[in-house]
């Protein structure tokens, strides 16, 4: 059809066909529904936690993370001797993202509230909690804080879901909930 010359040069003056009007209406209504789903799902979808982000230098953030690790380290795990940290309920918990690991391993208690902080030391990483559906972008220079209350015991994996280089696929962390 499109390769033929236009038969009616003033085609926009031809009244809309009934079928076309129906499709235009369906598309418009669907578009509005999808648009309203965005605020609806933000509030009721329980997918993306509301978080705050404040500017902080990676060095300052690292200092706080190291302080927490020194204070609450309970053991070390994995071949890289990553510290396992059990911070007290209600406290500030710091998780460091960098090429290509999450540091340290956290050990949290079920039903207790924590303020989880996230920052990248280099560039963009993605915090994706498995098997839960929690996704947070992690930037350098911003301290992202989320209030969390673990509601299920188990071992959770943190995978990086923002492509960050050759070992992106190996950037896996761990959280224990007891
Ligand atoms: Cu970090 Cu992908």
């Amino acid at each position: 059809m499109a390769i033929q010359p236009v038969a009616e040069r003033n085609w926009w003056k031809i009244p809309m066909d009934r079928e076309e009007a129906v499709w235009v209406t369906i598309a418009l209504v669907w578009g509005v529904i999808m648009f309203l789903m965005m605020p609806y799902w933000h509030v009721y979808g329980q997918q993306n936690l509301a978080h705050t982000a404040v500017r902080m230098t990676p060095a300052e953030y690292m200092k706080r993370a190291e302080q927490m690790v020194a204070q609450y380290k309970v053991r070390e795990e994995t071949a890289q001797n990553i510290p396992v940290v059990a911070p007290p309920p209600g406290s500030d918990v710091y998780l460091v993202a960098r090429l290509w690991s999450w540091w340290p391993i956290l050990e949290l208690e079920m039903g207790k509230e924590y303020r989880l902080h996230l920052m990248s030391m280099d560039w963009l990483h993605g915090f994706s909690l498995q098997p839960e559906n929690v996704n947070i972008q992690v930037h350098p220079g911003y301290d992202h804080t989320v209030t969390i209350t673990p509601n299920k015991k188990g071992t959770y994996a943190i995978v990086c879901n923002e492509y960050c280089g050759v070992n992106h696929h190996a950037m896996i962390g761990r959280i224990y909930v007891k």
Side-chain angles (χ1 to χ4, degrees):
M1 294 291 185
I3 45 177
Q4 303 291 339
V6 186
E8 175 59 70
R9 290 196 71 87
N10 292 337
W11 55 269
W12 60 86
K13 290 193 176 155
I14 304 169
M16 203 190 275
D17 185 65
R18 205 181 121 76
E19 203 176 315
E20 191 181 4
V22 168
W23 280 112
V24 167
T25 308
I26 289 172
L28 188 71
V29 169
W30 186 243
V32 170
I33 290 172
M34 294 303 278
F35 179 76
L36 293 175
M37 279 303 281
M38 289 192 284
Y40 171 80
W41 208 240
H42 176 76
V43 176
Y44 299 103
Q46 297 184 332
Q47 285 217 316
N48 293 302
L49 315 169
H51 68 269
T52 59
V54 295
R55 269 183 183 280
M56 189 188 289
T57 63
E60 167 63 23
Y61 185 89
M62 197 62 202
K63 213 169 72 191
R64 296 185 186 194
E66 277 167 350
Q67 220 163 51
M68 173 201 73
V69 170
Q71 204 170 357
Y72 303 117
K73 182 170 123 174
V74 287
R75 62 181 184 278
E76 286 179 352
E77 275 185 14
T78 78
Q80 294 81 41
N81 293 328
I82 297 181
V84 179
V85 177
S91 69
D92 289 280
V93 180
Y94 295 88
L95 190 60
V96 175
R98 58 190 165 189
L99 300 169
W100 285 278
S101 65
W102 298 94
W103 185 92
I105 294 171
L106 301 173
E107 195 170 84
L108 308 176
E109 285 177 50
M110 191 180 83
K112 300 285 165 59
E113 197 178 273
Y114 300 86
R115 279 182 305 280
L116 176 64
H117 297 256
L118 299 161
M119 190 195 285
S120 163
M121 293 299 109
D122 30 57
W123 57 64
L124 180 64
H125 297 285
F127 174 95
S128 173
L129 189 66
Q130 304 292 331
E132 300 301 307
N133 190 4
V134 175
N135 297 286
I136 302 164
Q137 279 193 333
V138 185
H139 300 257
Y142 286 94
D143 174 6
H144 301 73
T145 310
V146 204
T147 303
I148 57 162
T149 307
N151 58 4
K152 236 185 308 170
K153 293 184 186 185
T155 302
Y156 296 82
I158 307 160
V159 301
C160 180
N161 64 356
E162 294 284 356
Y163 183 71
C164 57
V166 290
N167 269 334
H168 159 71
H169 63 281
M171 190 170 163
I172 297 168
R174 202 178 291 168
I175 294 179
Y176 295 115
V177 176
K178 298 207 154 179

